[in-house]
Amino acid sequence: MSVLPDNIESSLACAAPSGIQLTSTSNAKGVCSSWCTLADKDDLLSVAKLMKSMGARLSTITILQPKAKSAPPAKEDETPVAPTFFGGTATDGKTFEIDYHFDIDGDTLTLVVHVPYGGDVQSLTTLFRCADWPERELMELYSVVVRGHPDPRRLFIDPGIENAVLERLIPFSTLVNSATTKGLWEKILANKGSQS
């Protein structure tokens, strides 16, 4: 049986005055999984405060960059309009979706915010200390700034490498250093020929 309060949708809507979209499913054992998309990323902190007051634990934070959706064909005498996410964030293939996964006594509620490329989002470290590393990681790997983070230093990537390293396509040959691979292959072929 779900432990999420019956009035969860109205509570979330009060905490996010710009608007929400909530979907929920329950399995055969009554465990509830809910997704709440915020129309405005700036409502995140107030909704996270609500989650904290409900005894929720922040499990993790994930980020993805959804591909751009193709625009529907324009009708005659109509200007084509790019499709948008809820809240007006463009589906341009560069906008990020950041998902904050909360656990409430076995039920899951995920808060979804959309942040434009190079945009920012408020840190949740003041409410949930476990947000520290996931927020630092997303700052070093993607073009997102986490406002108010107490320690925005890098975690893993050398400071000499520019930010947003995961947003660039790295050719496989560069990744595996094909010059070295080619040299090794030439040695193997030469060695093979000398053994015949």
Side-chain angles (χ1 to χ4, degrees), residues 38-49:
L38 304 180
D40 186 349
K41 65 180 176 60
D42 293 330
D43 288 337
L44 175 64
L45 192 59
S46 61
V47 176
K49 286 178 183 176

Side-chain angles (χ1 to χ4, degrees), residues 71-83:
K75 295 177 183 171
E76 273 187 46
D77 302 327
E78 185 178 83
T79 306
V81 178

Side-chain angles (χ1 to χ4, degrees), residues 155-171:
L155 285 171
F156 307 112
I157 298 177
D158 185 273
I161 298 172
E162 60 189 86
N163 277 345
V165 70
L166 288 187
E167 292 175 23
R168 295 186 305 278
L169 295 177
I170 301 172

Side-chain angles (χ1 to χ4, degrees), residues 3-194:
V3 295
L4 291 176
D6 292 336
N7 66 344
I8 187 71
E9 188 167 7
S10 60
S11 297
L12 289 166
C14 287
S18 302
I20 64 164
Q21 283 184 339
L22 182 70
T23 59
S24 295
T25 59
S26 293
N27 67 14
K29 296 185 180 187
V31 177
C32 182
S33 295
S34 299
W35 290 78
C36 178
T37 303
L38 304 180
D40 186 349
K41 65 180 176 60
D42 293 330
D43 288 337
L44 175 64
L45 192 59
S46 61
V47 176
K49 286 178 183 176
L50 170 67
M51 300 302 294
K52 180 81 171 182
S53 73
M54 293 170 50
R57 295 179 304 123
L58 179 63
S59 301
T60 192
I61 302 170
T62 56
I63 184 170
L64 65 127
Q65 201 171 33
K67 292 182 179 179
K69 295 179 183 175
S70 56
K75 295 177 183 171
E76 273 187 46
D77 302 327
E78 185 178 83
T79 306
V81 178
T84 58
F85 281 118
F86 175 69
T89 306
T91 57
D92 56 4
K94 291 186 175 183
T95 300
F96 296 100
E97 175 184 308
I98 305 176
D99 300 331
Y100 298 83
H101 307 278
F102 290 91
D103 174 79
I104 306 169
D105 292 329
D107 286 341
T108 303
L109 192 143
T110 299
L111 296 179
V112 178
V113 296
H114 292 103
V115 179
Y117 182 86
D120 61 19
V121 67
Q122 184 63 43
S123 175
L124 296 187
T125 53
T126 57
L127 299 171
F128 302 95
R129 288 187 60 208
C130 61
D132 181 27
W133 279 38
E135 288 179 349
R136 286 172 63 186
E137 185 179 20
L138 71 91
M139 280 191 285
E140 77 179 335
L141 299 179
Y142 301 96
S143 292
V144 173
V145 174
V146 180
R147 291 187 324 259
H149 194 283
D151 184 13
R153 290 177 299 142
R154 289 198 170 180
L155 285 171
F156 307 112
I157 298 177
D158 185 273
I161 298 172
E162 60 189 86
N163 277 345
V165 70
L166 288 187
E167 292 175 23
R168 295 186 305 278
L169 295 177
I170 301 172
F172 183 71
S173 59
T174 303
L175 185 66
V176 297
N177 191 357
S178 65
T180 303
T181 304
K182 183 181 178 207
L184 288 172
W185 184 245
E186 287 171 351
K187 284 181 183 180
I188 290 168
L189 289 176
N191 197 11
K192 183 179 179 184
S194 67

